[in-house]
Amino acid sequence: MAAEFATESARIIIDMGDELSLDDDFVSAPLHISGVTDANGSCNAVLFTHYHGDHVGQLERVRPEIPLYAGEVTKDIMVMSAKRTKPQNYDLHSRLDSIRTFASGERLSLGDMVITPFRADHSACDSYMFLIETAGRRVLYTGDFRLHGMRTGDMKYIINNVKKVDVLVTEGTTISRMAGNFTPEGELARRIVMYLKKYKYVFVLCATTNVDRISAFADAVPDRKYCVSDIYQYNLIKAVFSRKGQKMPKLLYYDDNILPKIQKAGGVIFVRANPRFERIIRKFDRSKSILLYSMWDGYINKPGSNLTEFLLLAGTWEKMHTSGHASAEDIRHFAEQLSPDMIIPMHTDAPWKMKQLFPDSNVVVLQDGEVLSLL
């Protein structure tokens, strides 16, 4: 996935991501963008909204002389993830190290475009929207966002500071589910406390880079109980919080020395679906354990998935998750605050449904590769 914005004297790309699929045989088609993946043209920069694979997965296809921009924490997480992958890809390491970083509200001048990133609420902790201004036109590109996460203050700040835009390019991941709202992220942390009253050992399977959820769960664990993850998750959380200058959550990393302490006191243990954690889960009393599945349902339903067997290791399991994306109603609410003259859906498999959500607005559905002039 990628979006292009251009004027007579400047050109930028936002995101270079892989297409996602649950099919084991699926291979994301390589993006071919003239002047970006080849030398047939020019490009001022490629900007990334956040670190998820469907937004950064084809970063290496960008010509090495084109500057890359991302948030500071996004860069840190991508660097740490790349160094953990075997075998090591040193060309990718070098490319990631070259990324230029920006901060929320800090204006970037690229040719005759002025781009202001605004930190947004999403399941990736360092996500951004981009306000693009040129020739008297104002376009807001939302990237992935939601209104029910841990960063609702950031979303209010965006609405209050961006105000009216000419064009809103908005994600529509959940637009096919027109009704209903999602559980607030903070509610999940409150539920952890309730589970710990019922079960001595609460195992949690969630995305490794879901920093907000991991840190919120850790801080919700009562005194005299433990909260542990593996060393990679621990170091990732530590890097994020040291970058932000904030106190580290109540989180330790798992090793054999801490096992007896957890068995005695109980607590929350973050796990991943692999043989190492299968062995760890088996060391705890199943009658006092529960495993909480805190990820997208699609991974369980994926053909050939062994997740159900893994979830049953703790004796019982339950789903406890909320979306990283805005509900249809929240997309409507957000757009109405900005009064756009035009709405363009993106990041959705049902873009035409945006017209149903905004029946009285000018909704323009673009096809891949289609060019739209705003002049």
Side-chain angles (χ1 to χ4, degrees), residues 48-51 68-80 96-97 99-104 106 117 119 125-128 130 236 239-245:
F48 296 100
T49 56
H50 63 287
Y51 50 75
L68 307 179
Y69 288 83
E72 292 180 346
V73 172
T74 288
K75 178 178 178 178
D76 286 348
I77 289 176
M78 287 196 291
V79 168
M80 290 180 68
L96 294 176
D97 285 338
I99 291 176
R100 306 176 186 184
T101 60
F102 52 68
S104 184
E106 197 174 81
R119 189 176 59 186
C125 69
D126 194 44
S127 297
Y128 292 87
F130 294 118
L236 190 150
V240 169
F241 275 77
S242 62
R243 168 74 75 177
K244 296 191 295 183

Side-chain angles (χ1 to χ4, degrees), residues 129-200:
M129 296 186 176
F130 294 118
L131 177 64
I132 304 165
E133 298 176 279
T134 185
R137 295 284 187 170
R138 306 177 84 239
V139 179
L140 184 68
Y141 184 91
T142 69
D144 292 349
F145 78 101
R146 61 182 177 179
L147 302 185
H148 59 275
M150 306 298 288
R151 304 171 186 276
T152 55
D154 289 335
M155 302 308 296
K156 291 177 182 177
Y157 179 85
I158 292 171
I159 291 171
N160 292 335
N161 285 270
V162 173
K163 300 179 180 177
K164 178 175 170 49
V165 297
D166 296 293
V167 180
L168 178 67
V169 182
T170 179
E171 76 128 306
T173 306
T174 68
I175 201 70
S176 57
R177 292 167 273 167
M178 296 294 284
N181 291 308
F182 300 121
T183 303
E185 187 74 38
E187 174 62 23
L188 302 189
R190 289 187 284 272
R191 291 181 188 176
I192 281 289
V193 178
M194 302 305 298
Y195 279 110
L196 282 170
K197 290 179 179 179
K198 187 175 180 181
Y199 299 93
K200 189 172 184 178

